[in-house]
Amino acid sequence: MTQPHIGVLALQGAFREHRQRLESLGARVTEVRLPADLAGLQGLVIPGGESTTIARLMADYALWAPVRDFHAAGGALWGTCAGAILLAREVHGAPPQFGGQQDSLALMDLTVRRNAFGRQVDSFHTPLQVQGLDTPFPAVFIRAPVIERVGEGVEVLARHAGQIVLARQGRLLASSFHPELTADARLHALFLDLAAAPLPA
Ligand code: GLN
């Protein structure tokens, strides 16, 4: 199968690792910094990093509406860690200097809580049972959010210690952890399948 053309939002955070992993699977990858970079893509990865910084840069580069339009036109989106926060309808745990409020695309019917596994020193990795994968996925958590609530139509694909850490809603995928920081490419392959799937008529 021809692999889809994927964008990686390249404003801040772990975008190079996503790019390498997607390219290792044969996908064509474009780094997205400006609205025009979205043209012709079938999927976009929003990487981990610092969600408030990525949100501010998305405003500076006028990317909020174009990314929403990209999804409305059928583009798949995958948010990892900070990226998952940016996909969520509701964000808890934003720092007080933001008035406890945080901008997000609000495309995925999730409530996420930022930094829910503790502080930086509490970053960890663990084998994760993921729905649809035969063997555990090595998951790296770095000041990760948890998904506290999922709406109807959101499929839970993995939990860690009872908390939801991987979920899917149609062409939207959200992971609390960083699949681009391990050698295991199975979740990137899953996203390529999602992005390549034909749109419902
Ligand atoms: N703690 C970061 C945030 O809330 C996310 C960390 C990450 O992406 N690794 O934005």
Side-chain angles (χ1 to χ4, degrees):
M1 187 177 68
T2 319
Q3 294 289 27
H5 185 186
I6 302 292
V8 179
L9 189 67
L11 301 175
Q12 190 260 340
F15 56 88
R16 287 181 194 86
E17 292 82 352
H18 274 296
R19 175 180 193 146
Q20 285 160 8
R21 195 69 73 243
L22 292 162
E23 284 176 341
S24 78
L25 293 169
R28 193 172 142 214
V29 179
T30 293
E31 293 188 359
V32 171
R33 296 188 179 83
L34 297 170
D37 299 330
L38 292 164
L41 303 178
Q42 287 150 284
L44 176 70
V45 175
I46 306 178
E50 192 57 41
S51 53
T52 45
T53 304
I54 297 174
R56 186 166 41 75
L57 292 169
M58 283 176 69
D60 290 350
Y61 290 90
L63 275 165
W64 285 100
V67 172
R68 287 195 181 98
D69 292 348
F70 171 73
H71 178 64
L77 297 176
W78 179 15
T80 60
C81 202
I85 296 167
L86 289 164
L87 286 184
R89 183 166 291 175
E90 207 177 357
V91 180
H92 291 165
Q97 65 266 37
F98 298 97
Q101 294 293 316
Q102 179 156 348
D103 285 335
S104 72
L105 290 160
L107 291 172
M108 206 167 165
D109 193 5
L110 308 174
T111 303
V112 299
R113 177 167 294 278
R114 290 185 60 190
N115 303 325
F117 288 109
R119 301 163 70 85
Q120 191 81 39
V121 288
D122 299 321
S123 298
F124 58 97
H125 56 92
T126 187
L128 201 65
Q129 292 294 340
V130 173
Q131 200 147 87
L133 300 185
D134 301 340
T135 55
F137 188 90
V140 178
F141 290 80
I142 304 170
R143 297 186 70 223
V146 295
I147 300 169
E148 291 187 325
R149 180 199 63 86
V150 295
E152 262 177 57
V154 180
E155 201 184 340
V156 173
L157 299 180
R159 291 175 190 266
H160 171 68
Q163 311 261 36
I164 302 168
V165 294
L166 180 64
R168 177 189 164 176
Q169 177 186 337
R171 299 166 98 78
L172 299 166
L173 188 64
S175 51
S176 296
F177 51 97
H178 284 262
E180 78 287 7
L181 297 183
T182 53
D184 194 319
R186 288 178 293 171
L187 291 183
H188 287 82
L190 186 140
F191 183 65
L192 291 181
D193 287 347
L194 209 76
L199 290 176

